[in-house]
Amino acid sequence: MGRFLLCYIVLSCTSILNIMASNSSNENGNGLLLYLHNYSFYAQKAMIALFEKKLPFKQSVVDITSGENYKPWFLDINPRGEVPVLKDGVKIIPDSSRIIDYLEDNFSNGDHPRLIPQDPVQKQKMNNFRELIDRINANTVTIGTFYHPDLAQNQKYPFIAPVRKVMKADFDKNGEKLRKIAEENPKYKDILLQKAEATEKTRDLVANKESFLKLLDQVDETLSAVETELTSHTDRESWLVSREFTVADVGLTMLLDRLNLVGLAHRYWEAGVRPQVTDYFKRAQLRESYKKTVPGVMFHIKALVGFKVIAGIGLALTLVGIGGGFVIWRRCNKSS
């Protein structure tokens, strides 16, 4: 029995790793290169915008879990050591909001749909919702749930308990690490020291439960405004401000996805709390841009290895479990 189990594990892991290798190639692009990490909320915003605009682009994954974003080669691209960064020829555009605006300004025609409405009323409404949604720092919300797991339910990959533990421990030392990196990179020392200070302030904020709850209340107010707007629509095919998917929808879709992953869906829309938001998220998840943006099961497996949260036989069993679940999911979808 033990030999059979071992063979099953080896064969299953080999199969999974072969699939991972076959899916590791990046999309072909025509001049646009996006530096990203697939779990970065802000990189996901840039990705879904690129897919919505039907723009071909190359992807360069920066492994932020190993600190690759603070290597000298990447600091030369973005001195803050943050993804996403878009490169268009010699132009370098950091920050997801700036990237989306750049794409809209330079790639909006018949082949590449607009994400900002032309109608002045819709445009103003979109800008208002965009500002409201963008005020919520999804990274801070994510980290806060690691400090207060009692506030979250049913966390999903990649934010399973061992990963949350590793990431919390990492975040506790982030300020100290950034100060060391700043000393090693005098060219970007001031920027990195400012980031270290901001990181420590964020840690203090999320570690304090009362402060974190105030942040969650801000999310609650934002989604209440979204629910009110969606309820006012007579056209049930409409998105947040129009029938077209806009920049506001880019931000809202990825915010809902992140809240769902970190286990806060129950707080904001499940069990009939906000039925219009629930329906909106279900429709957004069916969009091709969303499906192409969110990491698949094979990336989750690779990430678990990278996080080094499981070792030996535990890792093998985890790979088999995830891989087996993926096979079952595929079969169920084929039969439905």
Side-chain angles (χ1 to χ4, degrees):
M1 180 66 182
R3 183 177 296 177
F4 173 79
L5 177 60
L6 181 60
C7 289
Y8 176 68
I9 292 171
V10 171
L11 288 171
S12 299
C13 290
T14 302
S15 175
I16 292 168
L17 293 173
N18 285 339
I19 295 172
M20 287 170 62
S22 68
N23 284 283
S24 62
S25 60
N26 289 331
E27 294 191 35
N28 292 325
N30 294 321
L32 294 178
L33 172 63
L34 186 68
Y35 294 95
L36 60 91
H37 188 275
N38 296 72
Y39 289 144
S40 161
F41 170 81
Y42 294 100
Q44 289 174 347
K45 280 180 63 179
M47 288 175 71
I48 195 172
L50 281 158
F51 288 129
E52 281 291 336
K53 292 187 74 67
K54 305 186 188 305
L55 284 166
F57 66 101
K58 291 180 181 178
Q59 301 178 23
S60 179
V61 177
V62 181
D63 187 4
I64 58 179
T65 63
S66 67
E68 187 180 7
N69 49 316
Y70 293 116
K71 299 293 184 183
W73 73 268
F74 189 72
L75 288 176
D76 286 339
I77 296 171
N78 184 0
R80 290 186 60 80
E82 297 171 352
V83 293
V85 176
L86 181 71
K87 191 172 183 181
D88 182 14
V90 297
K91 295 178 183 176
I92 294 177
I93 305 98
D95 183 79
S96 60
S97 293
R98 288 176 58 188
I99 289 170
I100 292 170
D101 288 337
Y102 178 82
L103 296 176
E104 191 67 9
D105 291 341
N106 293 277
F107 302 96
S108 293
N109 55 42
D111 296 327
H112 307 300
R114 290 184 178 276
L115 294 177
I116 295 179
Q118 299 277 269
D119 177 78
V121 175
Q122 290 181 347
K123 183 176 181 179
Q124 184 59 53
K125 184 180 285 189
M126 189 223 70
N127 285 333
N128 291 341
F129 272 108
R130 180 185 188 183
E131 182 180 347
L132 191 64
I133 293 164
D134 286 354
R135 279 210 306 257
I136 298 168
N137 189 312
N139 287 345
T140 304
V141 173
T142 301
I143 293 295
T145 61
F146 303 162
Y147 283 83
H148 309 288
D150 57 303
L151 298 175
Q153 294 179 11
N154 190 29
Q155 296 94 335
K156 299 172 179 62
Y157 285 109
F159 301 114
I160 57 175
V163 172
R164 296 198 305 273
K165 183 178 180 180
V166 170
M167 292 183 71
K168 178 182 176 296
D170 239 22
F171 194 72
D172 280 333
K173 299 175 183 176
N174 240 10
E176 179 185 337
K177 288 180 181 178
L178 280 166
R179 294 179 192 283
K180 183 179 179 182
I181 294 168
E183 294 300 325
E184 295 169 351
N185 294 273
K187 184 178 178 181
Y188 306 116
K189 181 176 180 179
D190 290 344
I191 295 174
L192 291 169
L193 286 177
Q194 288 172 12
K195 187 174 180 181
E197 185 177 350
T199 297
E200 288 166 346
K201 286 182 179 178
T202 299
R203 180 199 59 203
D204 293 342
L205 184 151
V206 297
N208 182 292
K209 193 168 188 177
E210 185 177 344
S211 297
F212 183 58
L213 283 171
K214 287 181 180 178
L215 175 59
L216 296 187
D217 287 343
Q218 182 183 348
V219 178
D220 196 58
E221 291 171 7
T222 297
L223 293 184
S224 288
V226 168
E227 180 74 10
T228 299
E229 176 63 26
L230 292 173
T231 302
S232 72
H233 294 176
T234 54
D235 181 1
R236 291 307 169 193
E237 295 302 312
S238 177
W239 293 100
L240 188 52
V241 300
S242 70
R243 280 188 73 96
E244 306 304 320
F245 203 80
T246 70
V247 174
D249 295 296
V250 166
L252 179 58
T253 296
M254 298 323 302
L255 175 63
L256 294 176
D257 181 71
R258 179 52 59 98
L259 294 173
N260 184 45
L261 292 179
V262 298
L264 293 174
H266 75 285
R267 186 183 189 95
Y268 295 120
W269 68 83
E270 288 183 342
V273 174
R274 290 189 174 95
Q276 298 305 322
V277 170
T278 300
D279 179 67
Y280 176 99
F281 188 41
K282 287 178 180 177
R283 289 194 294 129
Q285 288 176 299
L286 296 176
R287 292 185 75 84
E288 284 303 310
S289 60
Y290 173 86
K291 295 175 184 178
K292 290 178 179 178
T293 296
V294 296
V297 66
M298 295 311 159
F299 192 89
H300 292 324
I301 294 172
K302 185 178 179 182
L304 286 176
V305 176
F307 278 120
K308 299 175 182 177
V309 295
I310 307 168
I313 191 70
L315 171 60
L317 288 171
T318 300
L319 294 177
V320 172
I322 299 173
F326 177 65
V327 171
I328 293 170
W329 176 82
R330 287 288 297 272
R331 286 176 179 170
C332 289
N333 274 293
K334 286 181 179 179
S335 62
S336 60

